[in-house]
Amino acid sequence: MAKYMVTENEVKKALAIDSFRNVSKEKIMEFVSAIPNIDKEVAIKIIDQFPAYIESANSMLAQLNTMSNNAMKENGESQKEVIRAYKKILDDLGELLKKDTITAEERAHITEQMLTIADRISAKDTENKEFLNGIIKYGVPIIGGALLLGAAILGVNVKGTKTPRLKS
């Protein structure tokens, strides 16, 4: 069982660092995992020593959220415009097909064009889904990191992370 740490120096020794001001991501993760073994007041004092990291994480989360919302909104509007344009082309081609004066060859050519437009609509839909998956793929780890930091502040033990131990 890990020894309960009641001073900042004990925590520094356990993390093998000299200062909390410029700690690495790995050391922050170790600190997060060690929080249950650190006196509450000491943990708060330590967290206060790297507020720039917390502010940065909160800022990154807010920026990512804004960027994702804007990208999805712009993507949605762009997607609708493209689909409307394709629908207009399909409607116009449909009107041409209704004419009695067109030849069988022209009818086949118009049908081919309609199929090409349908393929483009399908490709655009696939492109949109890939775009949304990209937002999820890159956004979730960033949000997860910010949530992990929040959990650290609340004292949640992070599984799979090395918990620093003081030597007896």
Side-chain angles (χ1 to χ4, degrees):
M1 179 112 203
K3 183 177 175 183
Y4 196 72
M5 295 173 262
V6 294
T7 69
E8 289 182 38
N9 285 334
E10 288 177 331
V11 177
K12 285 181 199 174
K13 183 178 176 185
L15 294 174
I17 60 172
D18 296 327
S19 169
F20 294 107
R21 295 233 178 256
N22 296 313
V23 292
S24 68
K25 179 180 172 185
E26 290 78 23
K27 292 298 179 181
I28 289 175
M29 295 303 295
E30 287 181 37
F31 170 76
V32 166
S33 188
I35 286 178
N37 300 321
I38 301 172
D39 178 75
K40 180 181 175 184
E41 296 301 318
V42 172
I44 291 170
K45 285 180 187 177
I46 292 169
I47 290 170
D48 286 343
Q49 292 183 41
F50 45 87
Y53 181 81
I54 295 168
E55 289 172 20
S56 175
N58 287 334
S59 176
M60 286 187 328
L61 181 60
Q63 258 183 329
L64 175 68
N65 192 23
T66 300
M67 284 174 32
S68 296
N69 287 340
N70 289 342
M72 286 191 291
K73 180 181 175 187
E74 290 172 13
N75 180 58
E77 290 170 7
S78 171
Q79 188 78 0
K80 286 177 187 174
E81 287 177 31
V82 169
I83 299 300
R84 272 195 293 268
Y86 284 145
K87 186 176 179 338
K88 172 76 171 114
I89 293 169
L90 286 173
D91 290 344
D92 291 348
L93 291 171
E95 288 299 316
L96 288 175
L97 278 178
K98 292 178 185 176
K99 292 185 176 184
D100 293 333
T101 59
I102 62 171
T103 66
E105 188 178 283
E106 290 172 324
R107 195 173 299 278
H109 181 68
I110 291 170
T111 303
E112 271 184 48
Q113 288 179 322
M114 292 177 86
L115 290 172
T116 299
I117 297 298
D119 287 343
R120 287 183 183 171
I121 290 171
S122 176
K124 190 66 176 166
D125 183 55
T126 301
E127 177 185 310
N128 184 53
K129 288 175 182 167
E130 288 172 359
F131 170 79
L132 294 174
N133 283 337
I135 287 177
I136 292 168
K137 179 181 176 182
Y138 295 109
V140 169
I142 293 171
I143 291 170
L147 292 176
L148 182 63
L149 181 61
I153 293 169
L154 296 175
V156 176
N157 192 14
V158 180
K159 291 183 180 181
T161 303
K162 180 180 138 192
T163 303
R165 306 201 186 277
L166 289 176
K167 296 178 183 173
S168 301

